[in-house]
Amino acid sequence: VGDNGYVVNLNWEIPVGNNYILTTDTDMNNQNFGDNNPLLKRTTDGLPNFPYNLDGIVEINEGYYNSGDSPGFSTDYYYYFYNWEINNDWNIGGISCYSEPTEVNVIIEDNTEIKENFISENILNTFPNPTENDLNIIVDVDMKNVKLSLFDHVGKLIKELSWLSIQKGEQKTINVSDLSPGMYLINFKNTEHNLNTSFTISK
């Protein structure tokens, strides 16, 4: 309609990929317009300059036509849209996060600058380490309302346990025989303490 036409906001989030085909519904076009095509503007013969590149994110290589019995592709026509605009709020082609942030635990070994933030063995002891079945844990402080969280090497929560109290030097035992071999992180936490250590399962 008119020289400038309309701006159509498609609100698409298109996964990365190749060989997408953009077309319209022929039945709906015939119902609404009495024609296979939706009567939107297009270029005339031989004017398109393919490939049409949009900000290095999308590349249009040819036009698709549907003339009833003989649909196909051609570089002679640029169908329907002249001025594509991409809203790159999702930072396509860069760093994107489509899910809610997830807290993970990171174990850093052999780094003296961060060593002070990692609980030493005389405060939170685990044995045997490595283990195959049971893991014994002794905490060298009194703790109340304790929550134990067990994470794998990528920070995924595996198990949670809780106790009303743990006395200094008291031994707790957890069975880890159902876990795969690898390194794991233990976090003991209450309102006063946040203790971490690691152990290894070998089978």
Side-chain angles (χ1 to χ4, degrees):
V1 177
D3 292 336
N4 295 323
Y6 290 112
V7 174
V8 180
N9 187 350
L10 299 175
N11 285 319
W12 286 348
E13 180 180 333
I14 303 176
V16 174
N18 297 312
N19 301 323
Y20 283 98
I21 300 173
L22 173 65
T23 185
T24 58
D25 188 308
T26 301
D27 292 337
M28 184 180 293
N29 293 338
N30 279 288
Q31 181 180 348
N32 292 331
F33 310 111
D35 197 287
N36 282 338
N37 98 50
L39 305 182
L40 297 172
K41 289 188 174 184
R42 71 171 200 188
T43 62
T44 54
D45 294 351
L47 290 181
N49 184 18
F50 290 106
Y52 182 59
N53 192 290
L54 290 82
D55 301 329
I57 297 172
V58 173
E59 185 178 270
I60 302 174
N61 293 303
E62 56 191 349
Y64 175 75
Y65 62 88
N66 187 346
S67 59
D69 295 333
S70 58
F73 297 90
S74 173
T75 56
D76 286 336
Y77 302 98
Y78 184 24
Y79 279 81
Y80 307 147
F81 304 104
Y82 289 93
N83 297 307
W84 286 77
E85 293 182 2
I86 294 179
N87 182 325
N88 202 16
D89 288 344
W90 299 294
N91 198 22
I92 298 170
I95 299 173
S96 302
C97 181
Y98 295 98
S99 62
E100 292 297 318
T102 300
E103 182 178 341
V104 298
N105 287 275
V106 179
I107 300 172
I108 301 176
E109 295 186 320
D110 300 322
N111 188 325
T112 55
E113 294 181 1
I114 304 178
K115 198 80 169 183
E116 63 186 23
N117 294 325
F118 200 74
I119 299 303
S120 62
E121 291 184 357
N122 62 349
I123 297 177
L124 183 58
N125 292 309
T126 58
F127 62 93
N129 189 7
T131 185
E132 294 183 7
N133 297 305
D134 291 333
L135 181 72
N136 302 305
I137 305 167
I138 297 178
V139 182
D140 198 32
V141 290
D142 292 332
M143 297 180 70
K144 293 182 179 181
N145 299 316
V146 183
K147 178 181 177 182
L148 178 148
S149 300
L150 177 63
F151 302 90
D152 66 11
H153 68 285
V154 296
K156 179 181 178 182
L157 180 63
I158 304 298
K159 290 184 180 183
E160 283 186 325
L161 300 171
S162 60
W163 297 277
L164 290 177
S165 66
I166 297 179
Q167 301 300 314
K168 179 179 178 179
E170 180 182 354
Q171 178 176 308
K172 296 293 183 181
T173 301
I174 60 174
N175 186 278
V176 294
S177 61
D178 58 327
L179 300 180
S180 301
M183 185 166 60
Y184 293 83
L185 173 73
I186 290 179
N187 173 251
F188 266 88
K189 189 175 183 179
N190 66 1
T191 56
E192 298 176 342
H193 301 282
N194 189 3
L195 309 178
N196 299 281
T197 192
S198 64
F199 71 97
T200 301
I201 295 178
S202 62
K203 296 182 179 180

